[in-house]
C-alpha cells in the first residue's frame, strides 16, 4: 500500500494554499450572498499560514506538523471556517502524532478526528447546511475504502464524489447555523460556502494523489 | 470607499495604535499583541470580565474596558472574531485568582473561539464562566431565542456585570447578574444604508434609494422587512411593538432604554425617534428609569439605529446606576 | 434623503421634544418656547454662560448645557441662527445677577442676533459680555483671523469658561479666560461627503466620488483644496502642518487635541488619524496633555473630521481638567 | 401729493409676501451657489409673518405696524437676511411712528432709517457685496426724488433702476461678508442673493404704485 511522507503533506498543504488563493474571489462571492464575504480572505490566510508553518517544519512527525498547522490556522483566521479548519487540523494531527509515514487507514483516522473536531467545536448537526454536509459523507466513504484497503486515488475519487453530492444536498437545505441561518427558508437553494470548502479539501487531496 | 485610512489591511492595527496613543494611562496590550487589550490599571482581587469580537463597532467592544465596566477585550479584524489564542492571553492577564467571565455576542466564530479559549484557561486552572448575549428580536422568533444575534443590548450586560464585579461579588454571582441582564434585554434595529469593510472596499449588501430594512443586523444580516422608508414615528412604533411583545414588557414595568445610532445617523434623529418611543411606553404604562441615546454599538458608517429595552428590578437598577469611566464611555452615578 | 423624521419642518422641534423627554432632570425650556433651552438646576450666584446657533451639529450647541459647562442655549433651525428674542429669553432665565457671557461661533446671522439680544439685555440692566469663537484656519488667512468660522474648537471655549464660572469667578474674569481659550485654539477640517438639511431634502453641495475637500466648513462652506482622497496619514500631515504653523504651536508647547467626527465618519477612522497626529506632534516636541476623540461638533450625516489644538498654560490646564456632566458630554477630572 | 394709508401698507406687505413666495425657489438656487440655500425659505417665512401681522393689525399707526412687522420677521427668520429685514422694518417703522398717512418724504425717511439699520446691524460697508449694494443706491435716489417732490411711481421707477444697477455692480464685487466671503476672489461674477432681495423690495413698492 502507498505511503505518504512528511514531504507529501508539505506539498498537500502548499496545494491547499494555492487552491484557496485561486478560489479567493469565488469564496468571497458565495459568502457574500448570505454571509459576510470573508471566506475567500480567511481561507487564503488560514492555508497560507498552514503552508508557511509546514515549510518551516524541520522534524518528520506528520501529526505534530498538522496539529501545529491547525494552531497557525486558527490564529491566522479566527472566523467560523478558520476556527473549524484549525480545530480539524489540530484534532486530525493529534490522531497522527508521532507518525513519519501514513497510509490510507491513517489518513482516514485523520479525517475522522478532523470531522469529530468540527462537530464538537461547531455543534452543528448533519443536515444543518454547513461544511459538515459535504465533508461527513466524504469521510464515511474514506472509512469504507480504508476498511477495504483501497488505493489512495480511487478512494479519494469516491470521497470527492460524495463531497460533491453533499454540496448539492446542502444547497437544498435550510441553514441552521452561521450567518445564513438568519435567512431561514430563503437559504434553501443557495450554495453553502462552507460545503464548498469541504469539497475543496477533498478535491485537493484527490488531485494530489492523481498526479503521484 | 471614502474612508480615512492608509492600507486597508492595516486598518485595525493602526486604529489600535491610535487608541493606545490616545489613552496610555487607561489601556494597554499584553503578549506583545495590539489585539489583546486590557485595562492599564485594575482593581485587585476582583472577578475579571472579558469580551471580544470583530472590529468596526466602536465603542463596542473594546470601548467598555475601564473603570466600572470590563477588564479586557480581544480585538478581531473588521467583523471578524479574534482568535482563541488572543482571548486566552487576555484571560490570563486579567485573572486575579477570582476567575473570569466572558461576555460576548451570539455569533458562530466568537462562540467557537471563546469555547476554545475557555478550554485553554481550564488547562491552566483559570475558572471561566461564559455569558452569551443574543437579544435581537428580529433575528429569530420567540422560542428560538438561542439563535438571536447579540447587538447593542450587550452594553447593559457589561454595565451590570461590571458594576457587580466592582462590588467584589463572586464569579458565580457576577454571572447570575449578567445572565439576568441578558435575559431581560431586547433589541431591534433598522438600517438605511450599508457600510464598507475596508479590506473589501465596497458595500457587501445594498439598501435601495428610498428603502429601509427593518431588523437588519449590524453586519448587514437580513432583516424582516425591506420596504419604503417610514417616518420616525412609524419606525418607533414598529420597533417598540415588536420588542414589547417579545419579552413581554408589561404595564408597571420599569425599563432602561437605549437608542443607539449605527454610525452615520445623527443624534438629532435618535432624539426624534425617542420622542415617539417615550410616548408609546408612557401610554403602555411602562416607566423609563433612564434613557441612553448615542452611539453604543455601531457598524462603521452604516445609517440606522437600534432600540433596546432592559427590564429592571431593584438589583439591576442599583448596578446600572453606578458610575463608569472608560475612554469611550463615561457615566456619573444616575 | 434617508433620515428618521416625520415632517421636515417639525424636525428641530421634535428633536427638542425628544431631548426634554430624555433628560427631564437636566434640561428645561423657558418662555414656553422649546428653543429656549436652559439647565433644569443651576448653581446659585454664578456667572451665566449662554450660547446658541443652528441645529444639525449635536452635541453642539445645546449638548454642552450642564454641570461644569454652560447654562443656556437658544436653538435655531437646521443651520439657522436662533432669534435675538430667543437669546434674550435665555439670557433672562440664566442671569443670576452676575451677568451673562455669550459664547458663539463667528457667523453673520448669529452675530447680528446676539448683538440684538445684548442690546435687549442692556435695556433690562443685565450685564452681557460676548466671546466670538472663530478658529478655522482654512476659512481665512492669518492676519484676517476675525473672518474665521467657528467650528469644533468652541468646545474648548465652553469647557474653560464653564469651569471658570463654576469657580465663581467674575464675568470679566470668565470672559478673559474664554477669550484666552478662543485665542489659543486652531482647527481645520476635511469633508468626504455632504449632508442634507431636512427641509431642503437634498445635499446643497457635492463632493465627487473619490474626492475629498480639505478645509470645508461645517455647513459645506468651501475648503481650500478639492482633490483625490488622501490617506489618513497624508490628511493628518496636512491638518497638523497648517494648524501648527498658524498659531504657531512650538517645541515645548503643551496642547489639548480634539479629533472630531463630523457625523458619518466612524470612531475607528478618527483613531487611525490620531495615530499620525500623535507621531507628528511628538516629533515636533509638542506634548499632548489630553486628547478628545469623538463627535463634538457635527454636520448631521456628513463624513469627515476636524482636528483642533488648544495651547495650554497652567490656568487653562487646570480648568480644562475639571469634571463636566451634561446629557451629551461627560468628563471626569482629568 | 399722493398719500398712502395703512391699507396700502397692508397691501404692500401682502404683495411682498407673494413676491418672496414666488421667488422662493430662485432665491434658494442663488443662495445655494455660495451660501446655504435658505434664502428662499427665510424670506418666505419672514414676509409671511410680516403680512400676517399686518393683516391682524387693527390700529391705524403705520409706523408701529411696520415696526411690529419687523419684530415678527426677525422672530420668524433669524438668518442674516431675516435679521436685517427685521432690523430694517423696525427702524423704518420707528421713523414713521404715529403716522396714519404717508407721502414720499415720509417714505424716504422710512427707507433711510431702514438702510441705516442694515448698516448698523450688519457692519458691512458699501462695496462689500451685500444687500447694501442694491438698496443703498435706491435709497439715494429716493432722497433726491423726495427733495424734488416727485410722484411715487416715477420716483420708485428710478430707484428700481438704481437697485438693478446695484445688483449688477454687486455681482462684480468680491464678497467680504456672509458665507460667500469664504469664496474670496471666486465670489466675483456671481450674483449676490441679498442684493436681489434689496431689488425685490423696491420692485414690489414700484409695482404697487404702478397699479394705483
Ligand atoms: N456551527 C457550525 N458548524 C459547522 N460549520 C458551520 C457552522 N456555522 C457555520 N458553518 C459553516 O461556515 C460557513 C461560513 O464560514 P465563514 O465565512 O468563516 O463564517 P463567518 O464569516 O460567519 O465567521 C458556512 O457556509 C457554513 O458551512
Ligand atoms: N453683514 C452683512 N450686512 C449686510 N448684508 C449681509 C451681511 N452679510 C451677508 N449679507 C447679505 O446676506 C445675504 C445672504 O443672506 P442669508 O441667506 O440670510 O444669509 P445666511 O443664510 O448666511 O444667514 C448675502 O447675499 C448678502 O447680501
Ligand atoms: Mg463569512
Ligand atoms: Mg458616527
Ligand atoms: Mg454620527
Ligand atoms: Mg443663506
Amino acid at each position: 500500500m502507498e505511503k505518504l511522507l512528511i514531504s507529501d503533506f508539505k506539498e498537500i498543504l502548499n496545494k491547499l494554499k494555492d487552491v484557496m488563493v485561486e478560489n479567493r474571489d469565488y469564496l468571497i462571492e458565495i459568502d457574500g450572498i448570505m454571509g459576510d464575504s470573508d471566506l475567500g480572505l480567511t481561507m487564503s490566510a488560514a492555508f497560507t499560514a498552514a503552508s508557511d508553518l509546514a515549510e518551516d517544519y524541520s522534524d518528520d512527525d506528520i501529526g505534530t506538523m498538522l496539529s501545529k498547522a491547525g494552531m497557525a490556522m486558527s490564529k491566522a483566521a479566527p472566523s467560523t471556517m478558520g476556527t473549524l479548519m484549525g480545530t480539524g487540523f489540530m484534532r486530525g494531527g493529534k490522531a497522527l502524532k508521532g507518525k513519519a509515514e501514513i497510509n490510507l487507514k491513517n489518513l482516514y483516522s485523520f479525517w475522522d478526528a478532523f470531522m469529530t473536531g468540527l462537530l464538537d467545536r461547531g455543534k452543528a448537526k448533519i443536515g444543518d447546511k454547513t461544511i459538515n454536509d459535504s465533508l461527513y459523507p466524504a469521510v464515511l466513504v474514506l472509512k469504507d475504502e480504508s476498511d477495504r484497503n483501497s488505493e489512495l486515488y480511487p478512494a479519494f475519487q469516491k470521497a470527492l464524489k460524495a463531497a460533491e453530492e453533499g454540496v448539492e444536498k446542502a444547497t437544498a437545505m435550510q441553514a441552521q447555523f452561521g450567518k445564513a441561518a438568519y435567512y431561514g427558508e430563503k437559504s434553501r437553494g443557495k450554495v453553502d460556502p462552507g460545503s464548498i470548502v469541504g469539497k475543496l479539501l477533498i478535491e485537493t487531496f484527490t488531485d494530489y494523489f492523481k498526479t503521484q | 470607499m471614502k474612508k480615512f485610512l492608509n492600507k486597508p489591511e492595516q486598518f485595525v492595527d493602526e486604529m489600535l495604535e491610535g487608541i493606545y496613543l490616545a489613552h496610555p494611562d487607561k489601556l494597554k496590550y499584553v503578549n506583545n499583541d495590539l489585539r489583546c487589550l486590557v485595562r492599564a490599571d485594575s482593581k485587585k482581587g476582583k472577578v475579571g470580565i472579558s469580551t471580544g469580537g470583530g472590529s468596526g463597532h466602536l465603542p463596542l467592544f473594546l470601548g467598555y474596558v475601564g473603570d466600572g465596566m470590563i477588564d479586557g477585550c480581544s480585538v478581531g479584524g473588521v467583523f471578524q472574531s479574534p482568535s482563541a489564542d488572543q482571548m486566552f492571553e487576555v484571560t490570563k492577564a486579567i485573572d486575579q485568582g477570582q476567575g473570569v467571565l466572558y461576555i460576548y455576542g451570539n455569533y458562530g466564530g466568537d462562540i467557537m473561539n471563546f469555547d476554545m479559549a475557555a478550554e485553554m484557561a481550564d488547562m491552566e486552572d483559570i475558572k471561566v464562566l461564559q455569558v452569551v448575549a443574543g437579544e435581537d428580536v428580529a433575528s429569530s422568533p420567540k422560542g428560538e431565542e438561542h439563535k438571536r444575534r447579540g447587538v447593542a443590548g450587550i452594553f447593559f450586560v457589561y454595565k451590570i456585570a461590571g458594576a457587580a464585579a466592582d462590588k467584589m461579588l463572586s464569579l458565580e454571582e457576577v454571572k447570575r447578574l449578567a445572565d439576568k441582564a441578558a435575559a431581560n434585554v431586547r433589541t431591534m434595529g433598522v438600517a438605511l444604508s450599508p457600510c464598507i469593510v475596508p479590506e473589501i472596499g465596497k458595500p457587501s449588501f445594498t439598501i435601495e434609494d428610498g428603502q429601509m430594512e427593518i431588523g437588519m443586523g449590524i453586519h448587514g444580516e437580513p432583516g424582516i422587512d425591506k420596504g419604503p422608508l417610514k417616518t420616525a414615528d412609524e419606525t418607533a412604533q414598529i420597533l417598540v411593538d415588536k420588542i414589547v411583545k417579545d419579552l413581554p414588557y408589561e404595564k408597571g414595568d420599569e425599563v432602561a432604554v437605549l437608542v443607539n445610532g449605527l454610525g452615520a445617523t445623527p443624534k438629532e434623529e435618535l432624539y426624534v425617534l425617542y420622542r415617539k418611543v417615550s410616548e408609546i411606553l408612557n401610554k403602555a404604562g411602562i416607566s423609563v428609569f433612564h434613557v441612553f441615546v448615542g452611539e453604543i454599538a455601531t457598524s462603521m458608517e452604516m445609517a440606522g439605529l437600534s432600540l433596546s429595552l432592559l427590564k429592571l428590578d431593584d438589583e439591576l437598577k442599583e448596578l446600572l446606576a453606578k458610575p463608569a469611566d472608560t475612554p469611550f464611555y463615561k457615566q456619573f452615578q444616575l
Side-chain angles (χ1 to χ4, degrees), chain A, chain B:
Chain A
M1 194 187 172
E2 307 132 301
K3 296 278 178 206
L4 299 169
L5 304 176
I6 193 138
S7 56
D8 293 302
F9 281 94
K10 289 187 176 190
E11 190 54 30
I12 290 173
L13 283 172
N14 189 47
K15 289 255 182 290
L16 279 168
K17 176 190 74 181
D18 291 346
V19 165
M20 297 302 168
V21 169
E22 275 157 31
N23 282 280
R24 189 176 175 278
D25 292 346
Y26 171 61
L27 292 174
I28 286 177
E29 188 197 317
I30 57 176
D31 189 31
I33 299 171
M34 299 189 298
D36 59 358
S37 308
D38 66 340
L39 196 57
L41 304 170
T42 53
M43 290 299 92
S44 299
F47 283 93
T48 301
S51 166
D52 287 354
L53 183 128
E55 208 162 289
D56 292 349
Y57 187 78
S58 53
D59 214 338
D60 66 355
D61 179 345
I62 297 174
T64 299
M65 183 183 77
L66 293 176
S67 285
K68 288 195 170 187
M71 276 184 247
M73 293 172 94
S74 67
K75 277 196 203 186
S79 63
T80 301
M81 196 52 58
T83 307
L84 289 174
M85 289 298 101
T87 303
F89 273 88
M90 279 190 263
R91 299 283 182 97
K94 214 167 157 193
L96 302 184
K97 191 163 181 176
K99 295 206 188 308
E101 277 187 10
I102 295 287
N103 60 19
L104 177 59
K105 275 214 154 43
N106 308 133
L107 203 50
Y108 160 66
S109 67
F110 170 86
W111 281 110
D112 185 46
F114 189 109
M115 192 65 228
T116 309
L118 259 53
L119 294 168
D120 261 21
R121 180 64 65 221
K123 310 215 163 52
K125 287 181 287 295
I126 306 302
D128 284 349
K129 192 176 183 118
T130 68
I131 181 173
N132 299 340
D133 295 300
S134 63
L135 203 55
Y136 189 75
V139 177
L140 283 188
V141 167
L142 290 181
K143 179 174 169 35
D144 262 19
E145 298 299 312
S146 139
D147 287 349
R148 291 199 277 138
N149 280 318
S150 306
E151 296 276 292
L152 282 167
Y153 179 54
F156 270 81
Q157 272 188 305
K158 286 184 201 154
L160 176 57
K161 194 154 173 287
E164 284 166 347
E165 286 165 12
V167 168
E168 294 307 317
K169 284 189 192 142
T171 303
M173 296 172 187
Q174 173 173 344
Q176 302 291 344
F177 272 86
K179 301 193 165 72
Y182 304 122
Y183 287 80
E185 270 295 334
K186 285 184 208 150
S187 64
R188 289 191 195 277
K190 286 172 191 126
V191 69
D192 176 62
S195 73
I196 298 287
V197 171
K199 188 210 75 168
L200 290 174
L201 291 176
I202 300 298
E203 192 170 58
T204 308
F205 275 78
T206 312
D207 287 351
Y208 182 77
F209 299 141
K210 179 179 181 180
T211 59
Q212 292 309 293
Chain B
M1 173 176 57
K2 282 194 168 181
K3 286 181 188 281
F4 295 102
L5 48 73
N6 298 302
K7 297 215 181 86
E9 58 278 18
Q10 299 288 355
F11 183 65
V12 171
D13 289 331
E14 292 189 349
M15 163 195 91
L16 288 168
E17 285 171 18
I19 288 174
Y20 294 115
L21 286 165
H23 312 291
D25 48 332
K26 304 277 184 184
L27 300 174
K28 65 177 185 190
Y29 54 93
V30 294
N31 198 36
N32 242 320
D33 182 349
L34 290 167
R35 301 186 178 204
C36 299
L37 180 149
V38 301
R39 287 171 63 172
D41 57 330
S42 62
K43 197 163 165 181
K44 286 284 151 269
K46 189 180 84 63
V47 162
I49 304 177
S50 139
T51 191
S55 291
H57 302 299
L58 283 181
L60 215 60
F61 298 88
L62 66 87
Y64 301 107
V65 173
D67 230 13
M69 300 274 281
I70 62 181
D71 304 288
C73 178
S74 35
V75 180
V78 173
F79 296 178
Q80 300 289 346
S81 175
S83 72
D85 208 68
Q86 291 165 324
M87 293 166 179
F88 177 53
E89 291 299 335
V90 168
T91 308
K92 282 190 293 186
I94 66 171
D95 177 48
Q96 308 202 37
Q98 306 305 313
V100 173
L101 183 67
Y102 292 169
I103 303 175
Y104 56 92
N106 191 19
Y107 294 94
D110 298 303
I111 296 171
M112 290 179 202
N113 282 298
F114 272 109
D115 274 349
M116 269 174 92
E119 286 171 22
M120 295 175 188
D122 187 51
M123 296 199 301
E124 302 228 350
D125 291 322
I126 301 173
K127 200 164 153 190
V128 167
L129 295 179
Q130 307 193 35
V131 174
V132 182
E135 21 71 72
D136 184 340
V137 297
S139 56
S140 194
K142 223 175 142 63
E144 306 232 357
E145 282 89 350
H146 64 282
K147 284 193 186 172
R148 287 181 173 171
R149 290 185 295 259
V151 283
I154 200 171
F155 162 77
F156 287 129
V157 186
Y158 293 147
K159 182 70 194 66
I160 298 295
D166 233 33
K167 281 179 72 179
M168 305 307 264
L169 300 182
S170 69
L171 179 59
E172 287 71 19
E173 191 59 4
V174 175
K175 174 172 156 62
R176 179 185 69 78
L177 289 157
D179 276 332
K180 194 185 202 180
N184 281 293
V185 65
R186 292 293 183 277
T187 299
M188 191 153 112
V190 38
L192 303 186
S193 79
C195 60
I196 298 178
V197 174
E199 287 198 63
I200 298 178
K202 55 179 197 323
S204 38
F205 59 99
T206 49
I207 306 174
E208 282 77 40
D209 260 11
Q211 300 277 305
M212 78 197 299
E213 182 151 349
I214 295 170
M216 177 168 265
I218 55 174
H219 312 93
E221 296 93 338
I224 51 179
D225 189 19
K226 221 166 169 165
L229 189 61
K230 295 187 162 49
T231 66
D233 285 0
E234 289 163 352
T235 307
Q237 187 77 53
I238 291 169
L239 298 181
V240 178
D241 279 355
K242 183 100 176 146
I243 289 170
V244 164
K245 258 179 224 138
D246 192 87
L247 192 69
Y249 298 84
E250 288 166 343
K251 194 175 166 141
D253 280 353
E254 189 171 15
V255 297
V257 178
L258 165 57
V259 185
N260 172 54
L262 290 184
T265 291
K267 271 214 168 79
E268 284 81 358
E269 298 176 29
L270 303 183
Y271 278 100
V272 169
L273 190 107
Y274 180 65
R275 172 183 165 274
K276 185 70 182 180
V277 170
S278 163
E279 181 196 308
I280 305 171
L281 293 178
N282 191 37
K283 272 198 195 133
I286 297 167
S287 69
V288 176
F289 169 64
H290 190 78
V291 54
F292 302 80
V293 182
E295 293 181 0
I296 289 290
T298 66
S299 299
M300 295 186 291
E301 71 279 20
M302 197 189 280
L305 55 80
S306 69
L307 176 72
S308 306
L309 296 191
L310 170 68
K311 182 167 160 174
L312 295 169
D313 60 12
D314 287 344
E315 72 179 347
L316 291 183
K317 207 154 87 178
E318 183 216 317
L319 295 167
L320 186 66
K322 298 259 185 222
D325 181 10
T326 85
F328 290 76
Y329 182 74
K330 292 175 198 307
Q331 176 183 315
F332 287 85
Q333 176 77 36
L334 298 184

